[in-house]
Amino acid sequence: MDVQKIREDYPILNTGIVYLDSASTSLTPEPVLEKMLEYYREYRANVGRGLYKLSQRATEELEEARKKIAGFINAKPEEMILVRNTTEGINTVSLGLSWEKGDNVVTTVTEHHSNYMVWLRVAQRFGVELRILWPDSRGVVPLAEVEKKVDDRTKLVSIAQVSNVLGTKLPVEEFSRIAHDHGAYMLVDGAQSVPHLQVDVRRLGCDFLAFSGHKMCGPTGSGGLFIREEVMEEVEPLLLGGGAIVDVDTASYRLEEKARRFEAGTPAVGEAIGLGAAADYLKKIGLEKIEAHERNLTLRIYEALKAIPRLRVHGPEPEWKVGITCFNIGNLNPHDVALFLDSVADVEVRSGLLCAHPLMREVLKEPQGAVRVSTYLYNTQQDVERFISAVEEIAHAFNSKEKGGTVKRG
Ligand SMILES: Cc1ncc(COP(=O)(O)O)c(C=O)c1O
């Protein structure tokens, strides 16, 4: 993988920043921007409505994008609902299934809020029991824990394939098998996996998978929700209105079939077309190459951080991880560390509770949260070295101060 060549697609990197916050949102490459501009400049019209040429072209381009986005995770186009982000995808499922008192829903304590709060609401609103899976000391949820908590009253198991805090990759295909053995649905939160790994919904055996386009080189306001064809009619659409219907009379309506039934209202056309281009872009480079590149960078980060006294690295060893590393230095506030990295070294990382309050407080026992460094295809070894040097500097200053020495900036 020619990273230097890839970096030419991201003019924002010419400013000299080291961007290590791609788990939050990725940068957008020129081919994606160009494809979006093409829509706005050449065929800016609504889709699925007009009979004139411009509208026909916009509709064709949107459907072509849907094919590319679906193909990216080995789904059929009619199973790919275009949404704004992972959060919207998971909410669609949580509010669309018909819950009954006595059902239970199974998730983990390591989830992002977007895959946690929705189940709290389902529990509160419908009398559903929320069952929480706990990870082992490496941050991995053991199969035995899943087997123990999933039973014949489980309606849904909902788990992130990759944790946004620990970077842990979970064997969700095994979890799917257990869910289906009990007649439950399986939802995979793919926000941190789809951008970085070759994800195949058939291999995972899931019923639902949600992901965000803005984390995979696509525009903000773009994302996908896969719903397996066979269970699509078991989910009530979140929104009703124009574009999602076959017919309406004064007393009733008939919804469109498949994905379009979930897409009431004018979609984010330019964004979806941009996401189609992003799927093409990543596929051309190759997800396996991207994963291998990130694995190398993550390994170096992990080993360097582990060697720093009084620095705590959270989560499992690198072989279980995908591109994400979280850490704390002594009792330093993670926000101070992130601000220092930005102001002194132009290194951009995330800090705080990372939309995972239960995990931070109950598992990691880090009430202030942590610092998160996350990589992507455009990051280099030099980026990583600059980050490591700056962290070493902070840790050294902190350790000297703790020992009663003077703090010097090198
Ligand atoms: C694991 C996970 N799930 C869900 C989300 C929510 O994604 P979005 O804000 O794009 O809806 C994120 C975002 O960081 C995430 O990391």
Side-chain angles (χ1 to χ4, degrees):
M1 205 171 96
D2 186 346
V3 181
Q4 287 309 330
K5 182 104 191 58
I6 286 171
R7 286 170 70 86
E8 289 171 13
D9 292 334
Y10 302 85
I12 200 170
L13 292 173
N14 295 336
T15 57
I17 56 156
V18 169
Y19 189 72
L20 288 168
D21 193 22
S22 295
S24 179
T25 196
S26 70
L27 305 177
T28 310
E30 286 297 299
V32 172
L33 298 176
E34 274 160 25
K35 189 69 191 170
M36 288 172 71
L37 278 175
E38 180 191 274
Y39 164 69
Y40 283 104
R41 287 187 173 136
E42 295 178 24
Y43 49 93
R44 173 73 177 83
N46 213 328
V47 290
R49 289 154 170 84
L51 293 180
Y52 50 92
K53 287 192 280 302
L54 230 53
S55 179
Q56 291 294 315
R57 167 98 192 267
T59 305
E60 281 163 18
E61 292 278 356
L62 181 82
E63 291 311 318
E64 193 51 37
R66 189 193 304 277
K67 264 192 222 158
K68 290 175 182 171
I69 300 163
F72 195 71
I73 57 165
N74 197 22
K76 298 177 193 164
E78 54 275 25
E79 295 174 315
M80 180 50 60
I81 297 149
L82 302 172
V83 291
R84 279 185 307 142
N85 48 43
T86 307
T87 304
E88 186 176 315
I90 298 174
N91 271 268
T92 299
V93 176
S94 78
L95 293 173
L97 290 174
S98 53
W99 300 96
E100 283 170 26
K101 198 167 165 30
D103 288 342
N104 67 68
V105 58
V106 178
T107 189
T108 80
V109 72
T110 61
E111 300 304 314
H112 186 281
H113 293 159
S114 294
N115 191 29
Y116 198 86
M117 293 163 63
V118 287
W119 311 122
L120 287 174
R121 177 169 63 183
V122 162
Q124 287 157 7
R125 193 177 280 184
F126 302 107
V128 165
E129 183 193 351
L130 177 58
R131 294 188 179 171
I132 298 165
L133 304 171
W134 290 77
D136 61 19
S137 56
R138 295 165 306 164
V140 180
V141 174
L143 274 189
E145 171 79 348
V146 189
E147 266 155 359
K148 198 169 79 193
K149 300 223 165 119
V150 175
D151 63 20
D152 290 349
R153 286 311 305 268
T154 304
K155 188 159 188 104
L156 177 85
V157 177
S158 187
I159 294 181
Q161 188 173 11
V162 172
S163 156
N164 67 307
V165 175
L166 306 170
T168 319
K169 182 182 167 205
L170 292 177
V172 282
E173 55 279 20
E174 297 291 332
F175 299 175
S176 280
R177 185 184 49 72
I178 297 168
H180 289 153
D181 281 350
H182 290 278
Y185 299 109
M186 178 74 201
L187 187 158
V188 175
D189 173 349
Q192 298 297 348
S193 57
V194 171
H196 305 274
L197 306 171
Q198 185 77 66
V199 170
D200 178 332
V201 288
R202 306 289 164 214
R203 247 194 2 240
L204 296 185
C206 56
D207 301 291
F208 313 109
L209 183 139
F211 60 98
S212 299
H214 69 89
K215 293 185 197 286
M216 53 176 277
C217 299
T220 54
S222 71
L225 170 65
F226 157 78
I227 300 188
R228 193 161 61 81
E229 202 174 14
E230 292 78 6
V231 301
M232 212 162 237
E233 302 226 340
E234 292 160 35
V235 186
E236 178 75 12
L238 198 56
L239 305 174
L240 295 180
I245 55 96
V246 177
D247 195 17
V248 184
D249 60 31
T250 51
S252 65
Y253 59 83
R254 195 149 58 85
L255 286 173
E256 272 275 9
E257 295 206 323
K258 309 287 161 60
R260 293 288 299 279
R261 67 196 275 122
F262 294 92
E263 295 175 357
T266 300
V269 181
E271 285 69 16
I273 288 171
L275 179 53
D280 257 359
Y281 176 85
L282 292 173
K283 225 170 172 174
K284 211 145 105 209
I285 292 167
L287 267 294
E288 275 131 30
K289 286 189 190 150
I290 294 170
E291 187 189 343
H293 173 65
E294 289 198 68
R295 203 178 314 118
N296 284 337
L297 299 179
T298 306
L299 184 64
R300 170 72 185 127
I301 290 170
Y302 182 85
E303 285 177 350
L305 294 186
K306 274 285 198 195
I308 298 174
R310 308 206 55 212
L311 187 149
R312 302 185 292 289
V313 183
H314 304 295
E317 297 79 45
E319 60 265 31
W320 286 88
K321 267 185 188 297
V322 180
I324 289 173
T325 309
C326 267
F327 64 97
N328 287 78
I329 302 173
N331 61 357
L332 280 182
N333 188 308
H335 292 316
D336 290 338
V337 176
L339 282 171
F340 181 91
L341 289 171
D342 180 40
S343 60
V344 169
D346 271 341
V347 171
E348 325 280 9
V349 296
R350 177 84 190 275
S351 53
L353 293 162
L354 309 177
C355 297
H357 294 188
L359 168 61
M360 284 291 181
R361 297 203 180 112
E362 307 289 332
V363 182
L364 302 183
K365 313 288 183 205
E366 298 287 0
Q368 300 190 100
V371 183
R372 179 180 71 188
V373 51
S374 57
T375 58
Y376 210 6
L377 71 166
Y378 35 70
N379 290 121
T380 59
Q381 288 289 349
Q382 291 93 306
D383 287 350
V384 164
E385 295 310 323
R386 195 151 110 203
F387 159 76
I388 291 167
S389 301
V391 173
E392 282 170 346
E393 192 183 335
I394 302 169
H396 178 68
F398 174 74
N399 287 329
S400 311
K401 190 158 171 258
E402 287 291 295
K403 279 193 211 131
T406 48
V407 179
K408 272 210 277 171
R409 282 245 308 273

